[in-house]
Amino acid sequence: MLITKSAVEKVFPTSDSDIPDTDANKKNFRNFVKVEITPDVKNIYCFDDAIGQDADYMFSFNCNSETATKIINYHSLMKDSVKGNNPEGLQHDFFWWDKRKINELESYSWDSTNDGKSFHKMFWYDHEKQKAYYFEYDL
């Protein structure tokens, strides 16, 4: 049986983790981060691991503080009380995903549990470098 590429991508979205701003990365950005790609949004890197019981999606990109605020508001993210709220053991290693820097940034998060499965969204923003990190995962 022939499975079309679009059918597979609905379950396992493709991404280009080594190349920024590809069509696949922009599509995933729109589907997960859910804000418009305005001129300030660039250098979009993403990675997805949707195989297995748990899934995770990582995005790193540049944007201005207005776009960062839109992301926080759209996802109803709440500012965490402690810096370093970073489940880095669940994350993958890429040159564009700076775990050390992320641990120094204020984090925003949202958590939900439904039918025994927990779903999490996290966001960090470096105001000085205008660099954002978005991490979505379930367990």
Side-chain angles (χ1 to χ4, degrees), residues 35-99:
V35 297
E36 182 182 351
I37 298 177
T38 51
D40 64 299
V41 178
K42 51 189 156 215
N43 298 315
I44 301 170
Y45 286 95
C46 72
F47 172 78
D48 66 89
D49 181 0
I51 299 174
Q53 290 183 331
D54 52 350
D56 61 83
Y57 306 90
M58 299 168 53
F59 294 85
S60 171
F61 52 94
N62 292 97
C63 69
N64 63 28
S65 59
E66 182 180 326
T67 298
T69 299
K70 286 179 185 176
I71 293 166
I72 291 165
N73 292 337
Y74 180 86
H75 293 280
S76 302
L77 301 172
M78 301 299 294
K79 186 176 180 180
D80 293 315
S81 59
V82 178
K83 283 186 181 178
N85 182 24
N86 180 13
E88 62 185 81
L90 300 174
Q91 299 163 356
H92 306 270
D93 294 314
F94 293 100
F95 67 90
W96 47 265
W97 190 266
D98 188 347
K99 292 177 185 178

